[in-house]
Amino acid sequence: MKNEIFSENNPILVQKSGPLHGSVTVAGAKNSALKLMAACLLAPGKFTLHNVPAIADVKWMSELLEHMGASVTFNENQLKIEVPESLTPEAPYELVERMRASIVVLGPLLARFGQARVSVPGGDDFGHRPIDMHLRGLEELGARFTTSHGYIEAETSGLTGTRVLLEFPSVGATENLLMAAVLAEGTTVIDNAAREPEISDLADFLNQMGAEISGAGRSVITITGVKKLHPAEHTVIPDRIEAATYLAALGVVGGEIEIKQARADHMDMLIRKLNEMGMSISPSVEGLQASADKRLDSVDISTLPYPGVATDYKPLFVAMLSVAEGVGIVTENIFSGRFRYADELVRIGADIRIEGHHAVVRGLPALSGAPVRAHDIRAGAALVVAGLAAEGETRISDAYHISRGYQDLVGNLRSLGANISYS
Ligand code: EPU
């Protein structure tokens, strides 16, 4: 890819900070951009994506598209992708291992080329993450899979629309099915589909490419297959998890900030919970205006598919509850293993007890800075947030995880007055 994307792995140093003041602008949503990039495989020609975040995951997805034969250039958050008539429909181990989201190339490759070879995604810090729903749904559309030497070999003599009922509203399975069904013969209905804003963004992009999708953003999505698609130009929706990260930072140290580009309509449940905790959040001309003028109150949180509280917000909530007034119980319903970062928060003084898929968080008036490690993107962001409320210095290693999902978390927080830098 031309124009390198910034990826920083020096430890992040955070000192007790606040209150925060000023404004920041959120970048485009990682979890939308990656899927839009995969969707480009569905048609030959030149695509342009605007508001693409300059993050490591975008770089890796670009490398995957390039491995298949596409050419990709990135410049000032604009990604240009040129997809040739013929591609090598393969996602190799080295790239899938780095980024599980690579699995979303399966649907588009099958739809356009009738075959795909994709490395089996391994486990990660969230525990075991199967792809059975992706495969079962694609099988129902007419794909056949075999697995050998760590690769899923997929083929079809032609996908045919049908009703697919998902066992759980999986984001990735919904996306793979959407991208397969757009070129299938006849009509596909995805029942119990994921409703995340990133799904609607993908459907909007596919429709601009000539697809016929209705119902995205609701539980039943209907796709009428078309013979072929064409390139399109699209602007990625803003990243609601990045916006939530600034809100969480504000929650632990107080102040008043504007978060430009943030969309309140994508964050209803989050805003409701933060209001309950004592923050004040309202729409502004360019995004959201938020203030926090006292120690937050604890609340109970339970993660659920959209429009429930996103699992990606959860580490941020645990960080906020660590310094809130009272006790909060956080229940994880999406990824069973997603509590590893709690041990790191405990290292900086948080009082967190894990019981199965619940965390009981007793808020303390202050935390105490220590060396900690980021195990994934959101865990890293939660450590940054907690570090802002910890006396002394918090040193976060393996900070490359943060560059996977945040364009400039450190710079943006510093611009709000936080005492944070790379070492
Ligand atoms: N699941 C299955 N079988 C499947 C698919 C999913 O059992 O075939 C299970 C998963 O193990 C999990 C649950 O269903 O327990 C939900 O998984 P989902 O498929 O919805 O998640 P995903 O598509 O793998 C995306 C985001 C995650 C985000 C989740 C939930 C991307 C690249 N990733 O993952 O974001 O946490 O949806 O909202 O879009 C992140 O950005 O840091 C991140 C991890």
Side-chain angles (χ1 to χ4, degrees):
M1 178 172 48
K2 312 235 168 57
N3 287 305
E4 280 308 297
I5 281 176
F6 166 84
S7 172
E8 178 65 72
N9 193 28
N10 283 342
I12 295 175
L13 306 177
V14 193
Q15 311 274 347
K16 189 167 170 56
S17 304
L20 302 181
H21 288 288
S23 75
V24 277
T25 304
V26 290
K30 166 180 86 77
N31 289 347
S32 192
L34 297 175
K35 320 311 168 58
L36 300 174
M37 291 171 74
C40 295
L41 295 169
L42 282 161
K46 293 181 182 174
F47 294 81
T48 304
L49 296 173
H50 302 279
N51 201 30
V52 175
I55 55 173
D57 272 18
V58 163
K59 182 169 177 240
W60 294 343
M61 185 59 98
S62 302
E63 283 175 18
L64 177 54
L65 298 184
E66 286 173 330
H67 170 88
M68 294 186 205
S71 59
V72 183
T73 53
F74 185 80
N75 194 6
E76 305 212 339
N77 298 109
Q78 180 176 288
L79 195 65
K80 287 190 182 287
I81 301 175
E82 186 166 356
V83 180
E85 284 290 345
S86 84
L87 283 173
T88 309
E90 182 198 67
Y93 171 76
E94 298 72 33
L95 295 172
V96 178
E97 185 219 22
R98 274 202 296 208
M99 190 180 60
R100 283 185 57 93
S102 321
I103 192 68
V104 293
V105 300
L106 191 55
L109 290 178
L110 264 172
R112 179 151 164 237
F113 301 103
Q115 54 171 310
R117 186 168 181 267
V118 177
S119 175
V120 177
D124 58 20
D125 248 36
F126 297 6
H128 183 51
R129 275 216 261 174
I131 51 161
D132 55 312
M133 282 189 264
H134 300 233
L135 301 186
R136 199 174 315 134
L138 292 169
E139 263 169 2
E140 288 173 34
L141 291 179
R144 289 180 302 278
F145 297 102
T146 49
T147 308
S148 73
H149 306 293
Y151 276 81
I152 300 165
E153 312 270 357
E155 58 169 4
T156 179
S157 47
L159 300 175
T160 309
T162 186
R163 173 174 177 260
V164 179
L165 173 62
L166 291 178
E167 213 173 298
F168 181 90
S170 153
V171 173
T174 304
E175 291 164 340
N176 248 331
L177 286 167
L178 257 181
M179 290 190 271
V182 286
L183 288 179
E185 179 83 39
T187 301
T188 301
V189 175
I190 308 175
D191 205 340
N192 199 23
R195 297 160 61 188
E196 273 69 2
E198 293 75 20
I199 303 280
S200 304
D201 203 29
L202 174 62
D204 288 346
F205 182 53
L206 292 168
N207 282 339
Q208 285 166 51
M209 290 171 63
E212 291 182 20
I213 302 171
S214 61
R218 298 198 292 274
S219 292
V220 180
I221 304 180
T222 305
I223 307 116
T224 306
V226 296
K227 289 266 176 278
K228 57 187 209 162
L229 298 168
H230 52 78
E233 186 165 346
H234 183 77
T235 300
V236 181
I237 56 168
D239 197 313
R240 61 200 165 101
I241 320 291
E242 187 191 356
T245 308
Y246 303 125
L247 290 171
L250 179 75
V252 299
V253 298
E256 180 164 11
I257 63 171
E258 185 183 18
I259 308 175
K260 291 184 181 166
Q261 299 295 327
R263 282 189 52 175
D265 59 326
H266 289 172
M267 303 191 291
D268 281 340
M269 200 61 81
L270 173 82
I271 292 173
R272 186 191 295 188
K273 282 289 172 188
L274 294 176
N275 284 338
E276 256 180 69
M277 294 177 87
M279 286 176 68
S280 142
I281 302 166
S282 53
S284 66
V285 179
E286 290 187 70
L288 285 180
Q289 190 71 33
S291 63
D293 55 12
K294 62 176 184 55
R295 189 174 169 200
L296 298 180
D297 295 322
S298 290
V299 287
D300 294 339
I301 297 288
S302 190
T303 64
L304 283 173
Y306 193 85
V309 174
T311 175
D312 291 340
Y313 296 145
K314 191 197 57 183
L316 300 169
F317 271 109
V318 174
M320 284 189 280
L321 291 170
S322 297
V323 290
E325 182 85 48
V327 176
I329 299 174
V330 178
T331 303
E332 173 61 62
N333 294 308
I334 311 293
F335 294 113
S336 54
R338 204 176 192 183
F339 271 123
R340 198 166 159 203
Y341 62 91
D343 290 339
E344 303 297 313
L345 287 172
V346 168
R347 289 179 51 72
I348 56 175
D351 182 349
I352 305 170
R353 206 173 67 242
I354 304 296
E355 288 177 10
H357 64 132
H358 306 284
V360 182
V361 190
R362 185 179 303 276
L364 299 168
L367 300 174
S368 109
V372 288
R373 187 174 298 281
H375 292 296
D376 70 59
I377 305 172
R378 311 303 170 193
L383 291 171
V384 166
V385 167
L388 297 172
E391 303 289 349
E393 183 175 276
T394 300
R395 187 173 198 275
I396 305 167
S397 54
D398 283 356
Y400 69 91
H401 281 296
I402 294 175
S403 313
R404 286 191 57 181
Y406 291 87
Q407 182 166 284
D408 190 13
L409 184 61
V410 168
N412 281 341
L413 285 171
R414 211 174 32 230
S415 77
L416 295 175
N419 196 340
I420 180 170
S421 60
Y422 281 101
S423 74

